[in-house]
Amino acid sequence: MGVRISLRDVWVRIGPVEVLRGVSLDAGGENIVLVGRNGAGKTTTLRVMLGLLKPYRGSIVAESNGVKLDAGRIQPHVVARLGVGYVPQGRMIFPDLTALENLEVSYGSSLPGDVLEWLYSLIPDLKRFIDRKGRYLSGGEQQMLAVARALVKRPKLLILDEPLEGLAPRIVKTIVEVLKSIEEEGVSIFITESGSLARVRELVDIAYGIDRGEIVYKGPVEGIERDEKARARIWGF
Amino acid sequence: MLGIVVDLGYVAAQTANALFYSSILFLIASGLSLIFGIMRVLNLAHGAFYMVGAYVMYTVFTRLVSGAEVGVVAGILAAGLVLAAIGYLVEVGLLKWVYSKPEEVQLLLTFALILVFDDTVKIIWGTEYKALQSIPWGSFRVGEYLIPVYYIVTVAVAVVVAFGLWIMFTRTITGKKIRAAASYPDIAAALGVNTRILFSLTFALGAALAGISGAMAAPILTAYPGMGTEAIVLSFAIIVIGGMGSILGSFIGALIVGFSRTFMAIVYPVLEIALVYIVMALILIIKPTGLFGEREVERR
Ligand SMILES: Nc1ncnc2c1ncn2[C@@H]1O[C@H](COP(=O)(O)OP(=O)(O)OP(=O)(O)O)[C@@H](O)[C@H]1O
Ligand SMILES: [Mg+2]
């Protein structure tokens, strides 16, 4: 059941900088937050998980219902088709495409009416701007669309990169509600956060802490603030 | 002078001439623009593709098929297919390895391809001009002037291609995926789009457009080594005027270049070529993205 992506001792270098230094983690099955300050390596970790970036050392395995991909065969579109949804940092809505076309590209063909109805029931605001081009959407609208775009294929694992960053409280509430309801339907989420865990705490059970490319904590979310060493490296206090 | 201005036949003939020339330019420039707009690859060898298209037409027309009408239609189809195949092989075999390299590497590689294609053409077809001898479909008369029906056919092909590209990019899922991948290739891939195949397809399509353009040009302009150089320089002017990646921009840009060259050649030949660049410079000053170029999207 579900999708699992495992990284083992993953090392990534960008230019002269070691951005990931021996990262090991498992996504899928549980609801997880990856927390670390700006530049800690969260986005880079996600890019490795999604097959967008090849580590120079270490292994990555993605599997779903007995289909197993290892490093050589990890390609982003193949990972996606295993049942992985992705909400990128900064939303990255295709600017020349309408909201509906953004959904279609992710779905892979034109959207059946019932899929669209399902999305409207999750995120009613979508209806208001469904025919507007990406570049004319507000930040909040783009973020709702980015979540819808990741959900349209009914993924089993949803990866979100700081999806609550810079949003109005109303939008944050909408997105948190959507994530709660898809969790109830059995979707696992893997979310990143660069600041306080307050807003995501109710969504996740497990936390990974990352600092300067190293995993500095793995365990229950409640434990991370009690772990002084991890706390110091993640939040600096 | 006055006599020329009021001679309707003359104006009609020159207009037909300009429309024909604009159509050829549109076909080649739209392919270049497509490849640049979507893949951010400036393909210097695009003119060489145009040249090969003209030679394919010459061979099909003179060697393989009898009958001018059939010969031209077969030549256009053959040039489109041959160049799609060449484009596909170039993308998969060479270009795809240099996307992550600095831009100079792409430019050097596509420049090297020009040399390879130029020499290959000389080896296969020699260095003389290759004329087709006959132009199909005859001509019609306006006043004292004869206008080849072939001009009208070429314009029709350009219009059909423009419309087809528009349908493809606005109505088909493949077109929408290509537009998505043009903005954020990584995001499109992570959402399940096989961008690798789409880029090969885009490059093959762009090359096919250059081939069709060369094939359609050959009956009037003949085929000769170096014909690609002139074509690519004008194509750059067109996509700068019209806006990179915009099909409508290529269409309008080709009309501007085609008409300004044709009519300057009559009115004031000294400025025939210069006018194109004056227009280009003015547009760059007034609207640096070109007439129909959208705001540049930042790529990650
Ligand atoms: N394309 C790149 N070029 C140069 N450096 C990069 C690039 N991508 C990431 N880095 C560097 O790698 C490190 C980790 O970056 P990453 O984006 O993974 O951090 P992050 O935890 O996602 O940060 P944020 O919270 O700001 O999104 C940073 O120091 C960053 O400067
Ligand atoms: Mg990040």
Side-chain angles (χ1 to χ4, degrees), chain A residues 74 202 204:
Chain A
I74 297 259
E202 58 178 327
V204 296

Coordinates of all heavy atoms in Angstrom, one line a residue, chain A residues 74 202 204:
Chain A
I74 N 15.3 6.1 -11.7 CA 14.5 7.2 -11.1 C 14.5 8.4 -12.1 O 15.5 9.0 -12.3 CB 15.1 7.7 -9.7 CG1 15.0 6.5 -8.7 CG2 14.4 8.9 -9.2 CD1 13.9 6.6 -7.8
E202 N -0.7 19.9 13.6 CA -1.9 19.1 13.6 C -1.9 18.2 12.3 O -2.8 17.3 12.2 CB -3.1 19.9 13.7 CG -3.2 20.9 12.5 CD -4.5 21.8 12.6 OE1 -5.5 21.2 13.0 OE2 -4.5 22.9 12.2
V204 N 0.9 16.4 11.1 CA 2.0 15.5 11.0 C 2.3 14.7 12.3 O 1.9 15.2 13.4 CB 3.3 16.1 10.5 CG1 3.2 16.7 9.1 CG2 3.7 17.2 11.5

